[in-house]
Amino acid sequence: MSGFSQHPIVLAGVGGAGSRAVRAVNRAMGGGVDFVMFDTDASSGACGEEGRFVLLGGDRLSGRGAGGDIVSARMAVEDSVSAIEEVFAGARMAVLIVSLGGGTGSGATLEILRWLAKNGIPSIVFATMPFAFEGDARQQNARGITAMIEEAASASFFIPLDKLVSGIDNMKDALERAVGTLASAVSLFWRLVEKPGYIKIDAERLRQIVFSSGRGRFAVARVRGDDRASVAADTLLADPLLADGTFGVRSILCGVLAGDDLRLSEIGTVASRLRTAFGEKCAFDLGTVNDEETFSGSLSVVVMLFESPSGATRGEVSGASGGSSRRKRAKTHGTLQNGRFGNSEPTVWNGENLDIPTYVRKNINIDV
Ligand SMILES: Nc1nc2c(ncn2[C@@H]2O[C@H](COP(=O)(O)OP(=O)(O)OP(=O)(O)O)[C@@H](O)[C@H]2O)c(=O)[nH]1
Ligand SMILES: [Mg+2]
């Protein structure tokens, strides 16, 4: 069991928006979830709700936040390694939620993911990408870090905020929708593991599935009514979050969550529609939840699509280096190769970590 939680999976938010999102997951679950918030900004910990707060970079940043500086956020994690060790002690897996674009969400997430990989703990990261209107600096900050986050994580989701809120113009409504959609996806996923039904995906199974799954996309649908399985499949297949043709789907993880009225034929409908749409050759894993209290009369489906076949590296899960096969895969994709420096002291000069590529430190846009 982990250092602060009885749950084998540690759920963590990183940065200001990441901390807000993980609290929203807890609310979506009706409370009672053990979660942790990592931030360099002390105000994230002053919310008085459940959850544990870890202030990163205490002496270096004095709780003021990283002010958009990825380098100081990365160093803040190095300052706080003992707290990270304590949080993840005994954890079998970690789920991180973060909004890229600022300093802490981008920089601290990368270092936490590298620490997890080095310690053989598989990780899934849900990361939002900034709104287009936030400007070039934040966009470049986020785009510059995605390849490194993808390399360090076992499975990663990069979700453009513009796609999460398409059609909403009001700022407050848009942010609420964005947090709500992310929280509802993560909470469905959490229930799948927490309360596995007749077809089980428990924490150990999930650990096997996501290990080295690579970049993914996800969508959720919640439907009521007679034809709810078909409608859920239609809704998912029309979701802009799934309709991104940037990579080929190699594996599918699907959760079907309902009350006691869940029918076998409904599971069959959802499974066959997804498999037909994304190719019968995909590795396919499905789990169910039967929870009458939460889902009475409704059918929820969460689907995750991955670019790597989920079974391809399963034998490596028990090994000590969770990130190694990711690095091998990243090499074939032509992405950055900094994982081999993961165990070295950073090369710091004039307050800048020279191990971080210049284009990231200087916010220069390279299309990765
Ligand atoms: N979904 C959602 N996203 C937000 C919200 N506020 C900010 N963001 C997004 O999150 C990105 C990162 O902002 P923050 O989380 O405040 O930044 P941070 O990670 O704390 O970084 P520093 O404050 O620079 O240390 C922004 O660029 C926005 O795209 C919010 O309330 N909801
Ligand atoms: Mg902040």
Side-chain angles (χ1 to χ4, degrees), residues 4-7 9-12 21-37 49-52 95 97 183 186-188 190-191 194:
F4 87 107
S5 163
Q6 289 306 300
H7 204 281
I9 306 178
V10 171
L11 178 64
V22 82
R23 289 198 295 268
V25 172
N26 184 42
R27 285 196 299 276
M29 293 287 292
V33 176
D34 279 335
F35 62 95
V36 60
M37 295 165 284
E49 291 182 57
E50 282 177 84
R52 170 167 174 185
V95 175
I97 308 180
V186 176
S187 63
L188 287 181
W190 199 254
R191 278 181 210 279
E194 185 99 323

Side-chain angles (χ1 to χ4, degrees), residues 302-317:
V302 54
V303 63
M304 296 181 173
L305 311 176
F306 294 104
E307 66 171 347
S308 297
S310 59
T313 52
R314 283 181 190 177
E316 297 180 36
V317 172

Side-chain angles (χ1 to χ4, degrees), residues 19-368:
S19 296
R20 284 195 288 281
V22 82
R23 289 198 295 268
V25 172
N26 184 42
R27 285 196 299 276
M29 293 287 292
V33 176
D34 279 335
F35 62 95
V36 60
M37 295 165 284
F38 292 104
D39 202 356
T40 55
D41 182 340
S43 66
S44 278
C47 55
E49 291 182 57
E50 282 177 84
R52 170 167 174 185
F53 178 66
V54 174
L55 181 66
L56 300 173
D59 286 342
R60 189 189 298 272
L61 299 173
S62 308
R64 293 188 301 268
D69 182 354
I70 293 180
V71 174
S72 52
R74 290 182 66 177
M75 289 175 173
V77 171
E78 290 187 17
D79 295 339
S80 313
V81 162
S82 57
I84 287 164
E85 280 168 359
E86 193 202 329
V87 165
F88 293 107
R92 299 287 294 157
M93 190 161 73
V95 175
L96 267 49
I97 308 180
V98 54
S99 283
L100 302 181
T104 307
S106 301
T109 299
L110 176 62
E111 290 307 322
I112 292 170
L113 289 169
R114 286 184 172 171
W115 184 91
L116 290 165
K118 202 169 82 185
N119 287 279
I121 303 173
S123 56
I124 307 178
V125 59
F126 294 88
T128 64
M129 303 296 282
F131 291 107
F133 67 73
E134 290 186 63
D136 289 347
R138 279 183 175 260
Q139 292 286 341
Q140 284 166 12
N141 161 323
R143 280 207 296 266
I145 205 89
T146 53
M148 287 184 271
I149 286 182
E150 186 189 348
E151 187 194 350
S154 310
S156 49
F157 298 90
F158 297 97
I159 312 124
L161 281 170
D162 291 312
K163 265 194 188 177
L164 271 187
V165 301
S166 59
I168 303 179
D169 198 28
N170 178 279
M171 178 81 187
K172 183 167 171 288
D173 294 348
L175 284 176
E176 272 172 18
R177 162 76 77 85
V179 171
T181 307
L182 195 57
S184 109
V186 176
S187 63
L188 287 181
F189 171 76
W190 199 254
R191 278 181 210 279
L192 193 63
V193 181
E194 185 99 323
K195 294 191 171 180
Y198 298 109
I199 307 174
K200 257 192 181 188
I201 292 189
D202 58 16
E204 282 310 298
R205 175 82 178 131
L206 184 68
R207 185 178 142 93
Q208 297 287 327
I209 292 170
V210 302
F211 186 78
S212 205
S213 283
R215 191 184 280 228
R217 315 169 219 165
F218 74 87
V220 297
R222 184 164 185 163
V223 179
R224 287 180 176 274
D226 289 343
D227 207 13
R228 58 189 191 171
S230 287
V231 177
D234 288 342
T235 308
L236 289 168
L237 294 173
D239 194 309
L241 291 177
L242 291 193
D244 174 355
T246 51
F247 62 81
V249 177
R250 303 287 300 282
S251 70
I252 303 173
L253 170 59
C254 175
V256 180
L257 304 91
D260 292 339
D261 57 352
L262 178 60
R263 298 195 301 272
L264 282 173
S265 58
E266 292 179 313
I267 301 172
T269 299
V270 170
S272 70
R273 292 285 304 280
L274 291 174
R275 300 194 75 174
T276 305
F278 295 107
E280 301 283 342
K281 286 187 182 155
C282 287
F284 186 81
D285 282 281
L286 183 138
T288 60
V289 171
N290 294 86
D291 180 350
E292 181 62 22
E293 205 180 310
T294 309
F295 297 102
S296 176
S298 74
L299 180 85
S300 289
V301 182
V302 54
V303 63
M304 296 181 173
L305 311 176
F306 294 104
E307 66 171 347
S308 297
S310 59
T313 52
R314 283 181 190 177
E316 297 180 36
V317 172
S318 54
S321 176
S324 62
S325 63
R326 299 281 310 118
R327 285 183 205 117
K328 262 181 255 154
R329 202 180 57 75
K331 194 176 263 172
T332 63
H333 286 234
T335 50
L336 296 160
Q337 292 304 298
N338 27 15
R340 76 185 106 133
F341 300 120
N343 293 327
S344 336
E345 287 295 310
T347 315
V348 180
W349 184 77
N350 269 359
E352 288 198 301
N353 183 345
L354 302 184
D355 294 344
I356 301 169
T358 312
Y359 78 92
V360 175
R361 279 186 280 118
K362 306 286 183 204
N363 267 343
I364 297 164
N365 188 18
I366 294 175
D367 193 9
V368 291

